[in-house]
Amino acid sequence: MDLVSSYKGVVGFVFGNENSSNADSYVERLLDRISNGKLEEDRRNSIIELQAVVSESQASQLAIGATGFPIMLSVLKEERDDVEMVRGALETLVSALTPINHAKVSSNEVQPALMNADLLSREAESIPLLLSLLEEDDFYVRYYTLQLLTALVTNSPQRLQEAILIIPRGITRLMDMLMDREVIRNEALLLLTHLTHEAGEIQKIVVFEGAFEKIFSIIKEEGNSDGGVVVQDCLELLNNLLRNDASNQELLRETIGLDSLISILNLRGSAYTFTQQKTINLLSTLETIKLLIKGGPEASPGKDVNKQTNKTTLVQKKVLDHLLILGVESQWAPVAVRCAAMQCIGDLITGDSKNLDLLASKFLGEEPQVEPALNSILRIILRTSSMQEFIAADYVFKSFCEKNADGQSMLASTLIPQPYSMNHAPLEDDVSMSFGSMLLHGLTLGENDGDLEVCCRAASVLSHILKDNLPCKEKVLRIEIEVPMHSLGAPEPLIHRMMKYLAVASSLKRKDGKSTISGNSYIQAIILKLLVTWLADCPSAVHCFLDAHPHLTYLLELTSNLSETSCVRGFAALVLGECVIYNKSNDSGKSAYAIVDVISQKIGLSSYFLKFDEMQKSFAFASVDSSLMRKSFSRSSAASMADIEDVVDENEFFEKKNIDHPILSSILDSYFVNLVKRLEADIKEQIVEVYSHPKIKVAVVPAELEQESGESDGEYIKRLKEFVDKQSSEIQDLLIRNSTLAEDLAKTGGGSNIQSEPSDRVQIERLRRDLQEASQKLESLKAEKAKVDSEATMYQTLATKTESDLSSLSDAYNSLEQANFQLENEVKALKKGVGVSSTFPDVEAIKAEAREEAQKESEGELNDLLVCLGQEQSKVERLSARLLELGEDVDQLLEGVGDDVDVGVGDYDEEDDE
């Protein structure tokens, strides 16, 4: 009841209390007549009237959703025998779940149909009740039930999918509808298409119920690609079952095979007319081919095996021939179909040596116009007016050259320079040309507007041929292009000609403040991409590139030109960086040090490194990973031909906004993005290395340091040594400063204060080094203080032990004196009692002798102790001096030490005096 109450509140909020009240009262009256009416005819009329009201009014839709669903479900459950009432209830529910589009609906506006679908799907008995109605004999009952289930799954897919899974034979009942009458079959097909979308468990049950056989049976019955929207629904259902599911792909492959699928692409013998629906059907079939080539999910352990098996099976069924006919040979086919077919060709040959060789061996056309398939695809690249078709054909060459050194060498071997007259012949005369001649023809057509775009496309193909293949780079580097007249100079290397066209493209772009060629915003980027690929890991290409000094000057200007896009500036910065890291030249004007020096002077290292960050944050780089393949065609997405037409040219918009052209997202790939990241790290590291080494490695002794006349060899060597030590110290200091500055710039990618004065930089660097030195000195003093404290504690412990030993010795001496005193008293007593007699020994003599011996013994031990004390006193003095340097209070540390010893020594002196 809480849900219904809140639902009624929504009615009032959306349509106003007055309108909602009128709708509520009218719907409630009709519902009351349906549930409590006595006359059957009156009840039937009421439900018909209710259906009409609900189909036309959103307020009525909300009103019936709040109060009428239990009544409608009660009719379906308890009045099965009254077919008209059941039909009326089902049709009313379908109307309640069908959106009413009187005008364009705002995205924020409440949708009654969506709310009703959610409310009905929450009814516990609604889904089982509707599935049971599929077993009724009445055609309209089954038809409206399927429509109602389709409306539910469209608006609340997850809830309906979960409910059907727990109902016994729920999927089976739906699959049985595929064998029903055509209208019922088509509705069931549409329902299953929605149900199987991203629902793995339902997909497995549907396949187990024989979905593949039924799908291809319907497609064949409808006329394959010439069929209507039913064929599209079948292919959409098939794609749902195969997408990222290796087991279903294997089951299709091993049960009915792929012949039925390939037959849909067979155009031979059929009329070469392409309706909108036929185009969509072919695109859906090509998507199925792509799903099989892709294989299962990425994390699947057997993905590669399943993928390779699919490829092998497709090739055995001659799918490559069909794709070539559809994508390359059939120029009457729609652009979208040709593009999808060529993308499938690229996917089919990627990483498969057999398929690569198979494509290289294919020929197209009829006598006498037969030519290799690769030549035909190259001609499409050079001639097509469709940007999408250029991207798709370029993808074929990218896939062909990917990790295919033999294929790259084969294509490069055909690059043979032609006379100037042939290079500038019309493009239509290239039918009999070899692949290499056609490519060079496109690369060197000229400097006109359209020719530059053709040159740019040919440059993209050449970049694939050169990628990661040093022999091909060296071979193409030796190609020289003739100039129009011999008087204008000798033939120039191809790499120089590409730089010339790059400069022409820039000048045309700046002419009159706007671009004068179509798509110019990406021509520079693609030519620069070729240069980046060409110079990578190729020192000889760098040397040839730097032979023309204007190249370096132009790149510096291009890198710092804020009117260029971030990608163009970034690519130009990459080429400059490659001239540093792959530079083996020792010439003063072309060495790595010289280039770094000129970058620092003309651009500034901080600004230079900033170009890399701007490039990687650009639209083109951020969109590289996005999928370029079109989404599957559903009825809604295929309703307009805009879904299959070529992309509208947006050059003007991107030129005005100074944003990289969207085609770059398609031309750039993950390989090139990773190459850029690697080059960026290497460039920063190499610049740090260059700054950390002297510009001139050979030291020349100044004239004033030559040996003077009369100067001995020893004095001369000593003077040279002092000079070298001084110079070495200064050089090391400068190298440390340079290295530190370069490392900081490399880590930060440049600072915000690019225009800061040199004096400020020097002062900041000096303060930073002073702070670092002070910190190191403080840490050293702390460590030394801890060591001294430890030694002081050790010596204090030793002094305490020595004091204890002296005290023990003093006690022993006192005991000896007391014993001696007692003996003397006894001797005196004996003398008094007995008297002096000559028989008694001389007591005084004995006493004197004993005292002398005791004194000698005591003096020996005391001398030893004094020696020890002298040594200890020396140590204490040294420690006291060190503690004073460290700021410690020596008197406080030695307080109380030795007091007892002094007392003992004083007692000893007194006794000795006695």
Side-chain angles (χ1 to χ4, degrees):
M1 292 300 295
D2 293 338
L3 183 61
V4 173
S5 300
S6 61
Y7 205 84
K8 290 181 178 179
V10 172
V11 176
F13 176 75
V14 176
F15 298 101
N17 291 328
E18 183 177 354
N19 292 336
S20 64
S21 177
N22 294 335
D24 285 349
S25 60
Y26 186 51
V27 170
E28 285 177 3
R29 286 200 303 271
L30 292 175
L31 290 172
D32 182 67
R33 287 163 57 186
I34 293 170
S35 60
N36 299 322
K38 302 301 182 182
L39 299 176
E40 296 298 327
E41 191 66 25
D42 182 56
R43 295 178 67 236
R44 291 169 186 163
N45 292 335
S46 298
I47 204 167
I48 292 173
E49 188 176 353
L50 179 62
Q51 186 275 328
V53 171
V54 171
S55 64
E56 297 177 355
S57 169
Q58 290 185 337
S60 299
Q61 283 185 332
L62 284 171
I64 193 175
T67 58
F69 284 166
I71 297 174
M72 294 295 103
L73 293 176
S74 176
V75 171
L76 296 177
K77 183 178 180 181
E78 299 175 1
E79 300 185 37
R80 290 288 186 93
D81 296 335
D82 193 337
V83 176
E84 292 188 12
M85 286 295 293
V86 173
R87 285 183 189 175
L90 287 171
E91 196 171 0
T92 302
L93 290 174
V94 170
S95 299
L97 271 61
T98 303
I100 301 174
N101 295 322
H102 292 304
K104 189 173 181 180
V105 181
S106 172
S107 58
N108 296 327
E109 186 175 340
V110 175
Q111 299 293 317
L114 294 177
M115 300 179 68
N116 286 341
D118 181 72
L119 189 63
L120 183 59
S121 63
R122 293 178 184 272
E123 295 285 346
E125 59 178 6
S126 61
I127 308 302
L129 180 59
L130 292 175
L131 288 176
S132 67
L133 290 173
L134 293 176
E135 299 178 352
E136 294 293 322
D137 295 332
D138 186 75
F139 168 80
Y140 288 101
V141 170
R142 301 198 304 276
Y143 177 69
Y144 290 138
T145 300
L146 288 173
Q147 280 193 325
L148 184 56
L149 287 171
T150 302
L152 282 173
V153 76
T154 302
N155 298 322
S156 300
Q158 186 174 359
R159 190 172 291 122
L160 188 63
Q161 288 168 348
E162 294 173 353
I164 288 181
L165 277 175
I166 62 176
I167 297 174
R169 297 187 71 253
I171 302 296
T172 304
R173 293 177 190 174
L174 295 177
M175 292 298 296
D176 291 341
M177 295 294 101
L178 293 179
M179 309 306 295
D180 208 319
R181 295 165 62 178
E182 183 176 344
V183 177
I184 299 292
R185 180 201 69 186
N186 296 345
E187 285 296 329
L189 190 61
L190 188 60
L191 173 59
L192 286 169
T193 301
H194 290 292
L195 273 177
T196 54
H197 183 67
E198 297 182 355
E201 294 298 325
I202 294 179
Q203 292 172 8
K204 287 181 171 55
I205 299 173
V206 169
V207 171
F208 182 76
E209 293 289 341
F212 291 142
E213 293 85 350
K214 295 175 182 177
I215 286 173
F216 284 107
S217 175
I218 297 172
I219 291 176
K220 184 176 181 181
E221 180 182 341
E222 292 290 323
N224 287 332
S225 62
D226 293 318
V229 71
V230 176
V231 174
Q232 177 189 345
D233 291 337
C234 287
L235 291 170
E236 189 175 349
L237 174 60
L238 177 64
N239 291 339
N240 285 347
L241 299 177
L242 296 179
R243 186 174 289 109
N244 293 327
D245 196 317
S247 61
N248 286 351
Q249 294 175 9
E250 182 180 1
L251 191 60
L252 171 64
R253 198 174 59 236
E254 296 181 355
T255 52
I256 67 171
L258 302 181
D259 294 295
S260 299
L261 178 64
I262 303 299
S263 64
I264 304 175
L265 299 176
N266 189 6
L267 300 181
R268 293 200 183 277
S270 63
Y272 295 125
T273 56
F274 289 85
T275 63
Q276 178 179 352
Q277 188 59 56
K278 182 174 182 177
T279 300
I280 295 172
N281 292 343
L282 287 172
L283 289 171
S284 299
T285 307
L286 291 171
E287 184 180 5
T288 307
I289 300 293
K290 180 177 176 63
L291 291 174
L292 290 173
I293 295 173
K294 180 182 177 182
E298 294 294 335
S300 176
K303 179 182 185 298
D304 293 337
V305 176
N306 178 68
K307 177 180 179 179
Q308 188 59 43
T309 306
N310 287 344
K311 281 187 175 183
T312 303
T313 306
L314 287 169
V315 171
Q316 290 173 352
K317 301 299 180 182
K318 309 295 184 183
V319 72
L320 184 57
D321 294 336
H322 291 285
L323 292 174
L324 286 171
I325 292 172
L326 196 60
V328 182
E329 196 172 11
S330 301
Q331 291 302 304
W332 56 85
V335 172
V337 173
R338 299 202 303 270
C339 292
M342 283 191 285
Q343 286 169 339
C344 285
I345 293 173
D347 292 336
L348 191 66
I349 64 176
T350 300
D352 192 307
S353 57
K354 292 183 179 179
N355 293 347
L356 288 169
D357 295 339
L358 182 62
L359 177 62
S361 65
K362 289 292 181 181
F363 285 81
L364 299 178
E366 298 179 357
E367 294 292 348
Q369 301 295 327
V370 176
E371 68 173 350
L374 291 176
N375 289 27
S376 299
I377 298 173
L378 178 61
R379 183 177 292 105
I380 290 174
I381 290 178
L382 300 180
R383 286 184 173 182
T384 183
S385 60
S386 167
M387 196 63 65
Q388 279 186 316
E389 193 169 15
F390 158 57
I391 294 171
D394 184 77
Y395 177 69
V396 175
F397 279 104
K398 172 187 173 297
S399 302
F400 182 82
C401 296
E402 189 78 29
K403 299 180 181 179
N404 182 20
D406 293 338
Q408 290 173 302
S409 300
M410 183 268 292
L411 296 178
S413 66
T414 64
L415 293 170
I416 301 174
Q418 301 293 326
Y420 178 82
S421 58
M422 290 191 63
N423 283 340
H424 289 72
L427 193 59
E428 288 74 15
D429 296 339
D430 65 359
V431 177
S432 60
M433 286 185 178
S434 67
F435 177 89
S437 299
M438 195 188 309
L439 184 60
L440 285 176
H441 184 251
L443 285 169
T444 58
L445 268 177
E447 303 170 6
N448 297 327
D449 296 355
D451 293 341
L452 269 183
E453 189 166 357
V454 173
C455 172
C456 148
R457 296 180 179 185
S460 180
V461 176
L462 182 59
S463 68
H464 300 315
I465 297 175
L466 301 182
K467 181 171 63 177
D468 288 338
N469 195 316
L470 186 58
C472 286
K473 294 179 181 180
E474 300 280 359
K475 177 177 177 55
V476 178
L477 195 63
R478 293 191 292 270
I479 295 177
E480 293 187 342
I481 308 300
E482 289 188 1
V483 294
M485 298 175 60
H486 291 289
S487 60
L488 297 178
E492 59 182 343
L494 178 61
I495 194 171
H496 289 193
R497 180 64 64 89
M498 300 313 299
M499 276 299 297
K500 176 183 177 182
Y501 290 154
L502 178 63
V504 171
S506 299
S507 63
L508 289 175
K509 182 177 180 180
R510 291 191 292 269
K511 184 177 180 181
D512 298 330
K514 62 178 181 179
S515 174
T516 60
I517 58 177
S518 174
N520 184 72
S521 59
Y522 70 88
I523 288 179
Q524 293 172 280
I526 292 181
I527 295 177
L528 284 168
K529 176 178 177 287
L530 168 63
L531 295 176
V532 170
T533 304
W534 200 339
L535 299 184
D537 301 305
C538 188
S540 57
V542 172
H543 185 272
C544 179
F545 180 82
L546 292 175
D547 280 344
H549 183 70
H551 293 173
L552 187 61
T553 304
Y554 173 69
L555 283 178
L556 291 167
E557 178 187 351
L558 198 61
T559 304
S560 57
N561 189 353
L562 297 179
S563 65
E564 301 291 350
T565 65
S566 56
C567 266
V568 170
R569 297 196 302 269
F571 288 175
L574 282 174
V575 177
L576 283 173
E578 287 178 316
C579 292
V580 175
I581 59 180
Y582 302 119
N583 192 324
K584 306 298 181 183
S585 175
N586 292 323
D587 296 346
S588 58
K590 298 191 296 184
S591 66
Y593 191 97
I595 294 174
V596 172
D597 193 39
V598 75
I599 290 174
S600 178
Q601 292 178 9
K602 300 294 185 181
I603 303 176
L605 287 182
S606 57
S607 179
Y608 174 71
F609 290 138
L610 195 61
K611 308 302 179 188
F612 298 134
D613 294 336
E614 293 173 352
M615 172 181 60
Q616 298 201 37
K617 293 176 182 178
S618 66
F619 167 80
F621 270 72
S623 307
V624 166
D625 294 332
S626 61
S627 174
L628 299 177
M629 288 297 290
R630 296 185 179 276
K631 297 180 180 179
S632 59
F633 287 91
S634 61
R635 291 191 179 187
S636 57
S637 64
S640 172
M641 279 299 290
D643 286 331
I644 55 176
E645 288 297 332
D646 198 11
V647 175
V648 178
D649 187 10
E650 296 177 339
N651 287 330
E652 184 177 355
F653 169 78
F654 286 95
E655 292 288 347
K656 290 180 179 179
K657 296 294 184 180
N658 197 25
I659 300 174
D660 294 301
H661 196 281
I663 189 179
L664 290 180
S665 301
S666 306
I667 297 299
L668 303 181
D669 54 11
S670 58
Y671 163 83
F672 188 76
V673 172
N674 292 332
L675 174 64
V676 167
K677 293 179 180 178
R678 176 173 67 84
L679 286 175
E680 179 185 354
D682 292 344
I683 290 169
K684 292 180 178 180
E685 182 179 354
Q686 186 65 24
I687 288 179
V688 172
E689 183 71 15
V690 168
Y691 263 97
S692 301
H693 287 79
K695 181 177 180 181
I696 302 175
K697 296 184 178 180
V698 180
V700 180
V701 178
E704 61 270 16
L705 287 181
E706 294 181 357
Q707 188 172 9
E708 299 175 356
S709 59
E711 186 179 21
S712 65
D713 292 341
E715 293 176 349
Y716 176 59
I717 292 174
K718 181 178 180 181
R719 186 160 57 85
L720 285 180
K721 183 177 179 181
E722 291 175 353
F723 172 79
V724 170
D725 289 343
K726 180 181 178 181
Q727 291 293 99
S728 177
S729 176
E730 293 178 356
I731 289 172
Q732 289 299 323
D733 185 53
L734 291 174
L735 291 178
I736 290 174
R737 292 184 183 182
N738 285 341
S739 177
T740 303
L741 179 59
E743 286 178 356
D744 291 344
L745 290 172
K747 290 178 182 177
T748 59
S752 58
N753 189 13
I754 298 175
Q755 304 297 331
S756 60
E757 295 296 330
S759 59
D760 294 338
R761 295 183 183 180
V762 172
Q763 186 176 4
I764 292 172
E765 178 63 21
R766 185 185 299 112
L767 291 174
R768 191 194 63 76
R769 288 191 296 104
D770 292 344
L771 178 61
Q772 185 177 5
E773 292 175 1
S775 299
Q776 292 176 352
K777 186 174 181 181
L778 179 61
E779 293 297 329
S780 176
L781 289 175
K782 286 182 179 180
E784 192 172 356
K785 178 179 179 299
K787 182 179 178 182
V788 170
D789 289 343
S790 175
E791 291 180 355
T793 303
M794 181 185 69
Y795 286 124
Q796 188 173 3
T797 304
L798 182 61
T800 302
K801 182 179 179 183
T802 304
E803 178 185 353
S804 177
D805 293 340
L806 288 173
S807 177
S808 299
L809 181 61
S810 176
D811 293 340
Y813 183 78
N814 292 334
S815 299
L816 182 61
E817 287 293 328
Q818 290 177 1
N820 187 30
F821 182 73
Q822 291 177 358
L823 289 174
E824 287 179 353
N825 291 336
E826 291 178 0
V827 170
K828 288 179 181 180
L830 289 174
K831 284 182 178 181
K832 290 179 182 180
V834 180
V836 181
S837 175
S838 59
T839 58
F840 285 96
D842 189 354
V843 176
E844 293 296 333
I846 294 173
K847 178 179 178 182
E849 183 178 357
R851 178 175 294 177
E852 184 178 357
E853 290 179 358
Q855 187 172 358
K856 289 180 179 181
E857 183 177 356
S858 298
E859 286 178 355
E861 293 179 356
L862 186 59
N863 288 335
D864 293 339
L865 288 173
L866 292 174
V867 170
C868 292
L869 284 174
Q871 294 174 350
E872 296 303 322
Q873 182 64 30
S874 176
K875 293 180 181 179
V876 169
E877 289 176 355
R878 289 200 298 271
L879 286 174
S880 299
R882 185 58 180 163
L883 289 172
L884 286 174
E885 293 178 4
L886 297 174
E888 294 289 344
D889 190 349
V890 180
D891 294 335
Q892 184 178 359
L893 287 175
L894 298 179
E895 184 177 357
V897 178
D899 293 344
D900 296 338
V901 177
D902 292 340
V903 174
V905 173
D907 294 340
Y908 169 77
D909 292 339
E910 291 177 2
E911 293 293 337
D912 191 44
D913 292 340
E914 292 179 0

